[in-house]
């Protein structure tokens, strides 16, 4: 039994030594699973996958810390998740079950915005006794060579909407920007409007110039519009000198808009092929 115990200890030493080496030698942007000489090498049980959700652009631009989210799919609910940065251990523990995907476990890590923007690499490793080999992934903020400041236009309600006397729509058009990371919010009299009150479209890519465009629509009752408060579209992008740009309108700003938004976008964005 003494020989057997010594063998187990040797395996554990090998495990930690190899794990230490693997953690800091994985090629960038590659998923992997670690195979040790004393373990049977198999594909991860149940197709376990590790991926990331990026921090919100509002955090990146406006806050001192950002939240990195590691998503482990098809894993046991008590999977252990370890975070490292370089050779520094940052955090270990059980992930939390996703509120929307029962088969996903989520682990979050708060890091300084400066570290994230500088391109430092953060590593997430999932490990469990039912997973033959640990599975991990790296994330980092990639450098973007093509950058362009957005153009922002705030369009008033259409004449048709005003005539119907039910609802009116304010449209914030954000054109020709790069990179695609951006945030758009609305305020009324400088107070933030709940995100459920407006809709932001998906990014539309210009395949020729590598730019992006999108728009946001805020729907109001005619009564809300007639009270004459000031509504503002707030756009955040890394190319703005002050991080954000604000466009403001109210009922007295001018006549209803006759701009055909579809035509504006067709003139701006080439369809992806």
């Amino acid at each position: 039994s003494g020989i057997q115990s010594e063998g187990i200890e040797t395996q554990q030493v090998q495990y930690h030594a190899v794990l230490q080496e693997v953690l800091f030698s994985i090629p960038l942007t590659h998923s992997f699973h670690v195979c040790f000489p004393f373990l049977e090498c198999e594909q991860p049980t149940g197709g376990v996958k590790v991926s990331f959700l990026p921090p919100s652009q509002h955090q990146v631009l406006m806050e001192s810390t950002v939240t990195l989210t590691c998503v482990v799919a098809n894993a046991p609910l008590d999977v252990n998740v370890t975070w490292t940065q370089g050779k520094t251990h940052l955090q270990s523990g059980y992930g939390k079950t996703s509120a929307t995907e029962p088969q996903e476990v989520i682990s979050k890590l708060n890091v300084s915005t400066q570290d994230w923007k500088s391109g430092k690499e953060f590593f997430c490793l999932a490990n469990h006794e039912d997973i033959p080999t640990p599975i991990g992934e790296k994330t980092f903020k990639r450098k973007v060579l093509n950058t362009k400041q957005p153009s922002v236009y705030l369009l008033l309600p259409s004449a048709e909407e005003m005539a119907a006397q039910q609802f009116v729509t304010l449209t914030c058009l954000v054109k020709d920007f790069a990179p695609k990371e951006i945030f758009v919010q609305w305020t009324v009299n400088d107070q933030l409007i709940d995100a459920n009150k407006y809709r932001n479209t998906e990014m539309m890519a210009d395949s020729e110039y590598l730019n992006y465009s999108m728009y946001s629509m805020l729907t109001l009752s005619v009564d809300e519009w007639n009270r004459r408060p000031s509504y503002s579209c707030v756009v955040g992008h890394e190319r703005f000198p002050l991080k954000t740009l604000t466009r403001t309108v109210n009922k007295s700003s001018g006549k209803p808009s006759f701009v055909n938004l579809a035509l504006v976008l067709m003139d701006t964005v080439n369809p992806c092929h």
Side-chain angles (χ1 to χ4, degrees):
S1 61
I3 297 176
Q4 183 178 5
S5 175
E6 181 179 349
I8 293 175
E9 291 178 359
T10 302
Q11 289 183 349
Q12 290 176 340
V13 171
Q14 289 176 335
Y15 176 93
H16 290 294
V18 175
L19 180 60
Q20 183 81 359
E21 180 180 351
V22 169
L23 281 174
F24 310 121
S25 62
I26 302 302
L28 299 182
T29 72
H30 283 72
S31 299
F32 70 96
H33 60 96
V34 186
C35 182
F36 300 99
F38 51 89
L39 296 177
E40 182 179 354
C41 294
E42 301 175 356
Q43 291 297 319
T45 303
V48 177
K49 295 181 180 179
V50 174
S51 60
F52 289 96
L53 299 178
S56 73
Q57 190 63 6
H58 187 277
Q59 280 190 324
V60 174
L61 292 178
M62 310 301 291
E63 300 178 18
S64 59
T65 61
V66 298
T67 302
L68 307 182
T69 303
C70 180
V71 181
V72 185
N74 304 319
L77 297 183
D78 57 344
V79 64
N80 187 275
V81 181
T82 298
W83 289 88
T84 63
Q85 192 278 306
K87 295 186 177 182
T88 303
H89 173 272
L90 300 177
Q91 176 180 296
S92 292
Y94 296 120
K96 294 184 178 180
T97 305
S98 169
T100 56
E101 297 292 339
Q103 292 186 324
E104 289 184 352
V105 172
I106 292 175
S107 176
K108 295 186 177 184
L109 177 72
N110 292 326
V111 301
S112 76
T113 302
Q114 183 177 359
D115 283 349
W116 174 251
K117 293 171 72 173
S118 69
K120 288 185 178 180
E121 300 156 10
F122 295 90
F123 186 89
C124 176
L125 179 76
N127 191 20
H128 190 273
E129 60 182 9
D130 292 339
I131 302 177
T133 54
I135 303 169
E137 182 74 76
K138 282 184 179 180
T139 186
F140 60 96
K141 187 179 188 302
R142 291 165 175 79
K143 293 183 179 179
V144 179
L145 299 179
N146 177 48
T147 64
K148 186 176 180 182
Q149 181 173 307
S151 298
V152 180
Y153 305 91
L154 215 172
L155 308 180
L156 290 168
S158 68
E160 290 83 356
E161 281 187 315
M162 295 298 294
Q165 290 292 306
Q166 291 183 338
F167 295 96
V168 297
T169 303
L170 298 178
T171 302
C172 188
L173 175 61
V174 189
K175 294 174 52 179
D176 303 333
F177 57 88
K180 66 180 180 180
E181 286 74 23
I182 199 168
F183 75 82
V184 179
Q185 298 175 325
W186 289 86
T187 64
V188 54
N189 294 336
D190 297 324
Q191 298 298 312
L192 196 63
I193 296 176
D194 190 284
N196 294 326
K197 303 292 185 181
Y198 56 88
R199 183 174 70 88
N200 294 340
T201 66
E202 298 292 332
M203 297 295 166
M204 293 166 282
D206 184 320
S207 57
E208 181 178 358
Y209 297 104
L210 303 178
N211 294 332
Y212 296 87
S213 294
M214 55 88 65
Y215 59 94
S216 179
M217 295 179 294
L218 174 66
T219 300
L220 308 167
S221 68
V222 170
D223 182 57
E224 288 174 313
W225 179 244
N226 287 337
R227 292 176 196 162
R228 297 177 181 269
S230 294
Y231 289 93
S232 299
C233 172
V234 182
V235 180
H237 191 268
E238 67 177 49
R239 281 300 307 271
F240 287 137
L242 300 179
K243 299 182 181 179
T244 63
L245 184 144
T246 301
R247 299 286 190 221
T248 302
V249 296
N250 54 43
K251 188 177 180 181
S252 60
S253 297
K255 297 180 180 179
S257 171
F258 288 91
V259 175
N260 186 320
L261 185 61
L263 293 179
V264 173
L265 290 174
M266 286 176 62
D267 184 56
T268 304
V269 182
N270 297 327
C272 296
H273 298 288

